[in-house]
Amino acid sequence: MESIQIKTIADLRKGETAIISKIVDNELALKLLEMGCLPGESVTLQHIAPLGDPICIRVSGYSLSLRKREASAIQLDNGKSHSGPSDNHTSVKETSNWVS
């Protein structure tokens, strides 16, 4: 039986790009959505602090610093990450799926 691993922003490698699928922490959801971490947005991991926390991502046209705990609350579309430049994907999925 094959297990499905759900990837989060905290799992990205430096320079890797992926598409946000949803936010799984209800307490952080509003803060992250207001900062531009919207489902359907392309996100790229730009920098990692020397001790691994915080990290800097590129989302919605600007750089954003997040704690690893915050980054692990943002799930990514499986199989849609790549190491190339951001494609600035801006389509929005159904809003009912944004927060779980």
Side-chain angles (χ1 to χ4, degrees):
M1 183 171 176
E2 189 175 313
S3 65
I4 297 173
Q5 183 175 2
I6 297 172
K7 197 169 186 176
T8 69
I9 289 179
D11 300 321
L12 290 176
R13 294 176 307 232
K14 189 173 178 181
E16 189 176 14
T17 300
I19 304 298
I20 296 172
S21 66
K22 64 181 175 181
I23 298 171
V24 294
D25 185 327
N26 288 334
E27 292 181 19
L28 290 174
L30 181 58
K31 174 183 171 182
L32 294 170
L33 291 169
E34 287 177 341
M35 292 192 296
C37 296
L38 302 170
E41 278 292 326
S42 176
V43 59
T44 303
L45 180 60
Q46 291 186 310
H47 305 286
I48 302 171
L51 297 177
D53 196 11
I55 62 171
C56 179
I57 61 171
R58 182 87 179 162
V59 64
S60 299
Y62 62 93
S63 296
L64 176 65
S65 216
L66 294 174
R67 295 277 180 206
K68 281 276 203 166
R69 185 181 72 83
E70 296 166 327
S72 66
I74 303 171
Q75 288 185 354
L76 304 172
D77 280 346
N78 285 336
K80 294 188 178 177
S81 64
H82 58 87
S83 297
S86 173
D87 60 0
N88 206 17
H89 181 41
T90 55
S91 68
V92 178
K93 296 180 178 177
E94 293 180 41
T95 56
S96 62
N97 293 331
W98 286 14
V99 180
S100 61

